[in-house]
Amino acid sequence: MTIRVAVAEKLNEDSKRIESAYNQLQLRQDNVAFQQAYLDAFPKTAKSFNQVFNPPNRKQLFDGNKYIFLLESLSENHLEPTLALTMKLACNLQWKSGAPDYLQLVLIKIAVNNPIAFAKGFKPMGPSQRTSLVEFLAAGQKGPAPGYERLIEILRRIGYPKVADQLFFGLSSID
């Protein structure tokens, strides 16, 4: 326990906030208020995300696996804010292995499970945001994220062909 406290003291404020919210949520995972507190504590900007989960010194909450993948389960009770958060971050991050990769996987899973909500969040984005999001989702060491093509197929099947085309072709306009 002493070791954990010593390590926590070296965390920046954003890292402390997310770790504290994570630890509270682990005690009562079904508590909607704790879930919301976790979302509130989660980094909101690419800069903060990288400082917490992808710092150059590999400290803080480096990698962020357990913190980022938790977002997928939170989308069950908090779909709109979780989807909005992950989409906003994805628009401003560059894909690379590790934390951004995990965020990409979480966003794809949420989008595949909630394609209408994804399409409704995607359509009002500006052209540069849509392009950035598409580039982030389509990036990867071996091509697009697992589930990316499936999301495109689902969007076409449920009546969002223009959003599907944007994802498929990387078009900046879906009007």
Side-chain angles (χ1 to χ4, degrees):
M1 185 65 136
T2 305
I3 294 171
R4 188 64 181 152
V5 171
V7 170
E9 289 174 10
K10 295 180 181 181
L11 296 177
N12 67 32
E13 289 304 313
D14 288 341
S15 296
K16 286 179 186 176
R17 191 170 31 259
I18 190 71
E19 184 175 52
S20 175
Y22 177 86
N23 290 335
Q24 289 295 315
L25 185 55
Q26 293 309 299
L27 298 174
R28 302 209 36 215
Q29 293 182 359
D30 60 342
N31 185 301
V32 175
F34 284 4
Q35 293 172 358
Q36 185 61 53
Y38 185 80
L39 286 173
D40 293 343
F42 202 86
K44 304 289 186 282
T45 66
K47 180 180 178 182
S48 177
F49 182 90
N50 283 323
Q51 287 173 341
V52 171
F53 300 123
N54 207 19
N57 65 5
R58 300 176 75 104
K59 299 207 181 207
Q60 299 305 311
L61 305 178
F62 181 73
D63 186 58
N65 184 312
K66 68 182 183 180
Y67 302 98
I68 298 166
F69 279 106
L70 182 58
L71 293 172
E72 182 184 353
S73 66
L74 296 184
S75 70
E76 293 173 17
N77 291 325
H78 305 275
L79 176 59
E80 288 182 26
T82 305
L83 188 57
L85 173 64
T86 55
M87 289 175 79
K88 178 184 174 189
L89 286 169
C91 286
N92 295 295
L93 286 169
Q94 294 294 315
W95 184 92
K96 65 181 182 177
S97 185
D101 181 30
Y102 304 147
L103 184 75
Q104 179 196 56
L105 294 173
V106 167
L107 176 52
I108 289 286
K109 287 180 182 179
I110 293 171
V112 165
N113 290 331
N114 304 280
I116 294 171
F118 175 81
K120 287 181 178 180
F122 187 83
K123 287 174 79 171
M125 290 179 157
S128 65
Q129 288 177 307
R130 288 194 299 261
T131 298
S132 294
L133 181 59
V134 169
E135 288 172 356
F136 182 81
L137 293 176
Q141 289 178 329
K142 296 180 181 177
Y148 186 72
E149 288 91 357
R150 182 166 179 236
L151 175 60
I152 293 169
E153 291 171 13
I154 291 169
L155 289 166
R156 282 198 175 110
R157 191 176 67 239
I158 65 169
Y160 290 92
K162 291 181 180 181
V163 175
D165 287 348
Q166 167 79 42
L167 295 175
F168 186 77
F169 297 112
L171 304 171
S172 62
S173 176
I174 57 172
D175 300 326

